[in-house]
Amino acid sequence: MDFVNKSLRYPLLALSTLFPASAMASSSIADTHFFRLGAYSQDADVKLTSSVVPLPPIEVDLIKDLGTEDSNTSIYALYRWHFTQKWSVSVAYQQLELDGNDTVTANFNFDGNVFISGFAAKTEFNMSTYLIDVGYSFVRNDKWEVMLGLGLHAFDIESIIDGQASVSDGNNNIIQEETRVSSDVLAPLPNLRGAVTYMISPKWEVNVSVGWLSLEIDEVDGSYVYVDLGTEYRFTDHFGVGATYQVAEIEATVTKNDGFEKADLKFTGPSIYISYGF
């Protein structure tokens, strides 16, 4: 037993030197309740497939093929509750909307409709992201927090295309008609998340968080990867301002009886936010 105690003594001393424990000052690490409200300026890469048999699946690039705007500002909100010294629960919401209006340059099918080149098409892309996870802080003191979380990201994706499509007139004749189609993908994806926060000073912190998971559940097959780098300055004991830069990739496929719907999304960009904690 003495040998075991001596063997563990030096690694534990080294860990305590790296993450020294002391009474926590007012900071996002010390907060029991923490709120964040901000806005992302995101560059988007959006590719969608809405396939209905017997038509062949065709991937549509909303930005390159249909002239959808490739960037926009989206809002987000986050709340975290440390219900014990080590355990916490977080919930978050983010909304993104993209619109476009351009001439179709090549025929394509979407949701069982064949859209014709040479005609104008209007597009709408809306995505709501919901997060809930439970985290465990392996280290939490006035200088460091090292956390690992497991939870659920749910992506509610709606795509709408207005344009000229080939349709049957009921008498075996194909005519061109103004058509509005929509595709809805709801993809709940489990997510493994890690985060590290370091206090440069009692009021100024830097942090990094990463998340990843790939999983197939029933008719939903998807993956989600993201990296978020940030900094925050607490200008009072409770209020702060911060900025982050995020890179995220989402891929989700929902299989249906008559085909499938797929979203391949990439987002990059900075955010600014205000925070409140106590």
Side-chain angles (χ1 to χ4, degrees):
M1 181 64 68
D2 290 339
F3 173 76
V4 174
N5 290 337
K6 291 179 180 179
S7 300
L8 293 176
R9 182 181 306 164
Y10 294 107
L12 291 175
L13 285 173
L15 185 63
S16 65
T17 301
L18 180 61
F19 301 114
S22 60
M24 289 187 289
S26 175
S27 67
S28 67
I29 296 177
D31 292 332
T32 299
H33 301 278
F34 177 77
F35 301 86
R36 180 186 291 182
L37 179 64
Y40 274 111
S41 178
Q42 293 189 314
D43 292 329
D45 183 6
V46 180
K47 297 181 177 68
L48 303 174
T49 305
S50 181
S51 178
V52 176
V53 293
L55 295 174
I58 294 179
E59 183 179 73
V60 180
D61 188 321
L62 291 193
I63 286 86
K64 294 180 179 180
D65 297 337
L66 299 181
T68 304
E69 57 189 330
D70 61 359
S71 63
N72 204 347
T73 300
S74 61
I75 61 170
Y76 76 97
L78 177 144
Y79 167 68
R80 184 185 69 233
W81 172 37
H82 261 291
F83 55 91
T84 73
Q85 172 66 17
K86 296 292 187 180
W87 288 97
S88 63
V89 60
S90 299
V91 293
Y93 170 79
Q94 183 176 347
Q95 172 69 31
L96 175 65
E97 297 181 359
L98 301 171
D99 299 309
N101 189 350
D102 203 356
T103 300
V104 178
T105 57
N107 295 353
F108 69 93
N109 69 78
F110 194 84
D111 192 35
N113 294 269
V114 178
F115 287 87
I116 308 302
S117 64
F119 290 91
K122 296 180 180 179
T123 56
E124 297 177 28
F125 175 83
N126 304 304
M127 184 176 76
S128 297
T129 304
Y130 307 90
L131 161 72
I132 181 168
D133 77 2
V134 176
Y136 181 81
S137 299
F138 293 91
V139 176
R140 187 184 180 215
N141 54 54
D142 67 341
K143 294 290 289 184
W144 292 90
E145 183 173 26
V146 181
M147 186 274 295
L148 186 66
L150 181 63
L152 185 72
H153 269 87
F155 302 96
D156 187 3
I157 303 167
E158 180 187 34
S159 307
I160 299 173
I161 300 176
D162 279 318
Q164 291 286 331
S166 297
V167 298
S168 173
D169 64 358
N171 296 314
N172 297 322
N173 297 315
I174 301 300
I175 61 173
Q176 310 304 315
E177 185 175 270
E178 187 71 23
T179 303
R180 179 183 176 90
V181 297
S182 63
S183 170
D184 296 291
V185 175
L186 179 60
L189 299 175
N191 188 247
L192 182 65
R193 183 170 67 96
V196 177
T197 301
Y198 173 68
M199 301 300 301
I200 298 175
S201 72
K203 290 184 175 294
W204 183 23
E205 71 177 58
V206 291
N207 53 71
V208 58
S209 61
V210 295
W212 174 85
L213 204 61
S214 178
L215 199 63
E216 182 176 354
I217 305 176
D218 297 329
E219 72 276 5
V220 179
D221 182 9
S223 63
Y224 176 50
V225 180
Y226 81 92
V227 178
D228 190 286
L229 304 173
T231 184
E232 179 178 324
Y233 184 77
R234 181 84 43 114
F235 57 88
T236 74
D237 286 343
H238 300 291
F239 286 96
V241 293
T244 71
Y245 190 89
Q246 185 184 80
V247 178
E249 295 187 6
I250 306 160
E251 185 174 308
T253 302
V254 178
T255 302
K256 299 183 177 181
N257 292 333
D258 58 351
F260 68 91
E261 302 196 4
K262 180 180 179 180
D264 188 356
L265 316 172
K266 296 179 183 179
F267 303 104
T268 59
S271 78
I272 56 174
Y273 66 84
I274 58 173
S275 66
Y276 176 75
F278 63 95

